[in-house]
Amino acid sequence: MVGAAYASVPLYKLFCQVTGFDGTVRRAEAAPTKVLDRSVVVRFDANIRGLPWTFTTEQVSQDIKLGASGLAFFKVTNNSDKPQTGRAIYNVVPEQAGAYFQKIECFCFSNQTIEPGQTVEFPVVYFVDPRFAEDPETKGKSEITLSYTFFPAVEGEDGGKSADATPRIVQPLGGTPSKGL
């Protein structure tokens, strides 16, 4: 019983990521080959909880055709005098769009360690699946909001940072590419 309770959180997270349930964004390997003439407005939101960081969007919104890849940038500054490790969680509004909003590359896929005073630009490559236009729950929707919140990375029982990946030092855009981003 204890094992089932312990496993329920990661299993629920996996279920939400696979199905897009509750507005959870899905991860994709590549954008679709079909691009529709219909566009949606994607709005961007950035929030911080419990970190001495400044986190902003580089753009307020983008118009994107269904099926086409979009590229958005977010900027983070560590305002402290120590390295800080955080993890971004994300959500999409309206919730029904979560099944169709997919990311190819995102800083939210792993912990991010930012050095004192460092400012980093993070790219997000995304698309809205063309099936968005056919679903009765979403076909009349013309706006989607992608919202991120950075939280401190949680210490695991082994003293390391939890969540899928080991923290990594983030290089500014144009610097040395890091694994996974």
Side-chain angles (χ1 to χ4, degrees), residues 1 24-25 31 48 57-59 86 94 128 137 159 161 167-168 175-176 179:
M1 198 67 159
T24 302
V25 177
I48 293 286
T57 63
E58 291 291 305
Q59 59 287 302
V128 180
E137 296 285 327
K161 301 288 183 185
R168 59 191 172 93
T176 306
K179 183 178 178 185

Short mmCIF file of all heavy atoms in Angstrom, two decimals, residues 1 24-25 31 48 57-59 86 94 128 137 159 161 167-168 175-176 179:
data_model
loop_
_atom_site.label_atom_id
_atom_site.label_comp_id
_atom_site.label_asym_id
_atom_site.label_seq_id
_atom_site.Cartn_x
_atom_site.Cartn_y
_atom_site.Cartn_z
N MET A 1 0.82 -1.18 0.00
CA MET A 1 0.00 0.00 0.00
C MET A 1 0.87 1.26 0.00
O MET A 1 0.58 2.21 -0.71
CB MET A 1 -0.90 -0.05 1.24
CG MET A 1 -2.05 0.85 1.17
SD MET A 1 -3.18 0.31 -0.11
CE MET A 1 -4.61 1.10 0.42
N THR A 24 -1.81 19.77 -18.88
CA THR A 24 -0.39 19.44 -18.91
C THR A 24 0.11 19.36 -20.34
O THR A 24 -0.46 18.68 -21.18
CB THR A 24 -0.13 18.10 -18.19
OG1 THR A 24 -0.62 18.21 -16.85
CG2 THR A 24 1.34 17.76 -18.17
N VAL A 25 1.20 20.06 -20.61
CA VAL A 25 1.79 20.10 -21.94
C VAL A 25 2.50 18.78 -22.23
O VAL A 25 3.11 18.18 -21.36
CB VAL A 25 2.80 21.26 -22.03
CG1 VAL A 25 3.49 21.28 -23.36
CG2 VAL A 25 2.09 22.57 -21.77
N ALA A 31 7.81 18.31 -34.91
CA ALA A 31 6.57 18.99 -35.28
C ALA A 31 5.86 18.19 -36.36
O ALA A 31 6.49 17.44 -37.11
CB ALA A 31 6.87 20.40 -35.77
N ILE A 48 7.86 33.06 -10.39
CA ILE A 48 8.90 32.51 -9.50
C ILE A 48 8.27 32.25 -8.14
O ILE A 48 7.51 33.09 -7.64
CB ILE A 48 10.05 33.52 -9.33
CG1 ILE A 48 10.82 33.72 -10.61
CG2 ILE A 48 10.99 33.09 -8.21
CD1 ILE A 48 11.71 32.59 -11.00
N THR A 57 9.33 36.84 -19.67
CA THR A 57 9.17 36.39 -21.04
C THR A 57 9.80 37.44 -21.95
O THR A 57 9.79 38.63 -21.64
CB THR A 57 7.69 36.22 -21.41
OG1 THR A 57 7.05 37.48 -21.34
CG2 THR A 57 7.00 35.24 -20.49
N GLU A 58 10.36 37.01 -23.05
CA GLU A 58 10.94 37.94 -24.02
C GLU A 58 9.86 38.46 -24.97
O GLU A 58 10.10 39.42 -25.69
CB GLU A 58 12.06 37.26 -24.81
CG GLU A 58 13.28 36.94 -23.98
CD GLU A 58 14.02 38.19 -23.54
OE1 GLU A 58 14.40 39.00 -24.41
OE2 GLU A 58 14.20 38.36 -22.32
N GLN A 59 8.72 37.82 -25.01
CA GLN A 59 7.60 38.24 -25.83
C GLN A 59 6.32 37.99 -25.03
O GLN A 59 6.27 37.08 -24.22
CB GLN A 59 7.55 37.49 -27.17
CG GLN A 59 7.43 35.97 -27.04
CD GLN A 59 8.71 35.29 -26.60
OE1 GLN A 59 9.73 35.43 -27.24
NE2 GLN A 59 8.67 34.57 -25.49
N GLY A 86 16.87 25.46 -9.78
CA GLY A 86 15.41 25.48 -9.83
C GLY A 86 14.88 24.55 -10.90
O GLY A 86 15.63 24.05 -11.73
N PRO A 94 -6.62 27.26 -22.15
CA PRO A 94 -7.57 26.41 -21.46
C PRO A 94 -7.05 24.97 -21.33
O PRO A 94 -6.23 24.53 -22.13
CB PRO A 94 -8.82 26.46 -22.35
CG PRO A 94 -8.30 26.74 -23.72
CD PRO A 94 -7.06 27.59 -23.52
N VAL A 128 1.31 23.67 -31.85
CA VAL A 128 -0.04 23.27 -31.49
C VAL A 128 -0.49 22.29 -32.56
O VAL A 128 -0.51 22.61 -33.76
CB VAL A 128 -1.00 24.48 -31.42
CG1 VAL A 128 -2.41 24.02 -31.05
CG2 VAL A 128 -0.48 25.52 -30.43
N GLU A 137 -14.06 20.46 -28.13
CA GLU A 137 -13.70 21.22 -26.93
C GLU A 137 -12.77 22.40 -27.23
O GLU A 137 -12.66 23.32 -26.42
CB GLU A 137 -13.02 20.31 -25.90
CG GLU A 137 -13.91 19.21 -25.38
CD GLU A 137 -14.93 19.73 -24.37
OE1 GLU A 137 -14.62 20.68 -23.63
OE2 GLU A 137 -16.05 19.18 -24.35
N GLY A 159 20.54 13.30 -0.79
CA GLY A 159 21.26 14.57 -0.71
C GLY A 159 21.37 15.27 -2.06
O GLY A 159 21.76 16.41 -2.13
N LYS A 161 19.71 16.59 -5.87
CA LYS A 161 18.48 17.25 -6.30
C LYS A 161 17.61 16.21 -6.99
O LYS A 161 18.08 15.39 -7.76
CB LYS A 161 18.78 18.38 -7.28
CG LYS A 161 19.68 19.46 -6.70
CD LYS A 161 18.96 20.28 -5.68
CE LYS A 161 19.86 21.39 -5.18
NZ LYS A 161 19.29 22.15 -4.13
N PRO A 167 21.30 18.38 -11.75
CA PRO A 167 21.42 19.81 -12.08
C PRO A 167 22.62 20.06 -12.97
O PRO A 167 23.62 19.36 -12.90
CB PRO A 167 21.60 20.48 -10.72
CG PRO A 167 21.10 19.49 -9.72
CD PRO A 167 21.30 18.14 -10.34
N ARG A 168 22.51 21.06 -13.81
CA ARG A 168 23.61 21.40 -14.71
C ARG A 168 23.80 22.89 -14.72
O ARG A 168 22.87 23.65 -14.49
CB ARG A 168 23.34 20.87 -16.10
CG ARG A 168 22.07 21.41 -16.71
CD ARG A 168 21.75 20.63 -17.98
NE ARG A 168 20.47 20.98 -18.47
CZ ARG A 168 20.24 21.92 -19.38
NH1 ARG A 168 21.21 22.61 -19.90
NH2 ARG A 168 19.03 22.19 -19.78
N GLY A 175 26.55 29.97 -26.20
CA GLY A 175 27.65 29.33 -25.50
C GLY A 175 27.70 27.85 -25.85
O GLY A 175 27.11 27.40 -26.82
N THR A 176 28.37 27.10 -25.03
CA THR A 176 28.49 25.67 -25.26
C THR A 176 27.14 25.02 -25.07
O THR A 176 26.51 25.20 -24.02
CB THR A 176 29.49 25.07 -24.24
OG1 THR A 176 30.69 25.78 -24.33
CG2 THR A 176 29.70 23.60 -24.50
N LYS A 179 23.67 19.16 -22.77
CA LYS A 179 22.91 17.97 -23.10
C LYS A 179 21.41 18.23 -22.85
O LYS A 179 21.03 18.67 -21.79
CB LYS A 179 23.38 16.81 -22.25
CG LYS A 179 22.69 15.52 -22.58
CD LYS A 179 23.23 14.40 -21.73
CE LYS A 179 22.47 13.12 -22.04
NZ LYS A 179 22.87 12.05 -21.17
#
